[in-house]
Amino acid sequence: FCAAAADPEVRLALALEVGNHLDVPPDQVRYHLEQYKPRLQLSAERVDMGRASIPVHPRHGGHDVDAVFAQTRHALCLLECVTAAVEGAEPVLLVGETGTGKTTVVQHLARLAGRKLVVVNMSQQSDAA
């Protein structure tokens, strides 16, 4: 939940405070906040994204290796969060500026897991009718 803070200094202060209460050393807090890059591992049955894992759809297969996806730290961290939400059957609302990769990350995860994806644009310009 510290990631919700837009200001990096506020985010770090929050994370350090939470880490302090959980007896996590400050160096480890900083590492996870500033350097941690989740690892993507693929098998025939599963997509393992950092701390989360989801099954590959048995009929549709998955792992579209021809898909272009820049595995930046930011993209992989977001992919890990979305994968964890999918694994826990939790709803997800991705909010942010246009062009920051929200849809791309979800599309990539759907391709890897062999799932059909329906994208709904909820911008202010969307028509309710």
Side-chain angles (χ1 to χ4, degrees):
F1 58 86
C2 296
D7 184 336
E9 291 179 15
V10 172
R11 187 170 42 245
L12 177 59
L14 286 170
L16 288 169
E17 187 64 30
V18 170
N20 183 44
H21 286 287
L22 297 174
D23 294 323
V24 178
D27 289 345
Q28 192 173 353
V29 170
R30 282 189 178 88
Y31 167 77
H32 279 282
L33 198 62
E34 299 167 352
Q35 298 174 356
Y36 170 69
K37 187 174 180 180
R39 196 166 158 206
L40 174 62
Q41 294 182 297
L42 307 172
S43 70
E45 298 85 27
R46 304 205 63 77
V47 175
D48 297 321
M49 185 64 241
R51 62 188 161 90
S53 180
I54 60 172
V56 171
H57 193 282
R59 284 196 201 137
H60 300 122
H63 312 316
D64 185 358
V65 293
D66 292 332
V68 177
F69 182 76
Q71 294 190 18
T72 63
R73 191 182 88 75
H74 173 76
L76 290 175
C77 286
L78 180 56
L79 187 60
E80 180 184 39
C81 289
V82 172
T83 304
V86 170
E87 180 182 42
E90 295 289 330
V92 177
L93 176 63
L94 299 176
V95 179
E97 296 293 322
T98 301
T100 57
K102 301 175 299 292
T103 303
T104 301
V105 163
V106 176
Q107 288 171 330
H108 187 63
L109 181 59
R111 268 194 305 272
L112 292 175
R115 298 291 180 154
K116 181 181 175 188
L117 176 68
V118 177
V119 176
V120 179
N121 183 348
M122 299 298 289
S123 72
Q124 294 176 350
Q125 291 80 24
S126 296
D127 187 11

